[in-house]
């Protein structure tokens, strides 16, 4: 049976606390972009334009089907080379060897969490009864 090494945990506490601000910033920005993505994707899924609805459903299902680790690796290694094709666009010089880890992590986490939150947005809108849409405020 394995016992917890409390001495190691206590000695490593300063390292954990030192990383806490960056972790909280990563969480904040990822959730902010995930919520924005979820509202936009949810609105598109609820729209009456069939091609948009089906496209977003396919993208959303694909994102949810790919593990987060693969998405993190994709965002850090592949997205920069895709973005390299825009080198010189509007005067922006791009070097894919020096991308920030933080931006890649925010992008991947936001996409992953946003895909799941999209389902929450859509199911929340479907849960509203039709009569609540049609109801009007009483006139005074």
């Amino acid at each position: 049976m394995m016992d917890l090494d409390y001495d190691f945990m206590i000695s490593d506490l300063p390292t954990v606390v030192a990383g806490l601000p960056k972790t909280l910033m990563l969480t904040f920005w990822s959730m902010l972009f995930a919520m924005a993505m979820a509202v936009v994707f949810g609105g598109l899924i609820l729209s009456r334009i069939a091609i948009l609805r089906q496209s977003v459903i396919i993208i959303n299902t694909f994102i949810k089907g790919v593990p987060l680790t693969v998405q993190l690796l994709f965002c850090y290694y592949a997205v920069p080379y895709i973005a390299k094709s825009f080198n010189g666009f509007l005067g922006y010089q791009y070097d894919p060897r020096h991308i920030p880890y933080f931006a890649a992590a925010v992008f991947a986490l936001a996409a992953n969490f946003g895909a799941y939150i999209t389902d929450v947005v859509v199911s929340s809108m479907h849960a509203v009864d039709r009569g609540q849409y049609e109801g009007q405020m009483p006139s005074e």
Side-chain angles (χ1 to χ4, degrees), residues 9-25:
M9 291 169 62
I10 291 170
S11 68
D12 202 39
L13 195 59
T15 305
V16 173
V17 171
L20 189 61
K22 194 146 216 158
T23 302
L24 292 174
M25 287 302 294

Side-chain angles (χ1 to χ4, degrees), residues 20-92:
L20 189 61
K22 194 146 216 158
T23 302
L24 292 174
M25 287 302 294
L26 180 66
T27 303
F28 172 77
W29 288 111
S30 297
M31 289 309 294
L32 183 74
F33 291 128
M35 293 295 240
M37 176 186 149
V39 169
V40 170
F41 274 22
L44 291 173
I45 289 174
L46 294 169
S47 74
R48 296 181 184 192
I49 304 170
I51 189 74
L52 277 177
R53 182 176 52 243
Q54 291 303 319
S55 300
V56 172
I57 289 172
I58 290 169
I59 292 168
N60 199 34
T61 305
F62 177 76
I63 291 172
K64 289 187 301 185
V66 176
L68 179 57
T69 306
V70 174
Q71 292 177 20
L72 285 164
L73 291 171
F74 180 79
C75 287
Y76 186 71
Y77 290 109
V79 169
Y81 286 99
I82 295 169
K84 187 178 181 183
S85 63
F86 295 106
N87 192 17
F89 182 68
L90 298 175
Y92 179 71

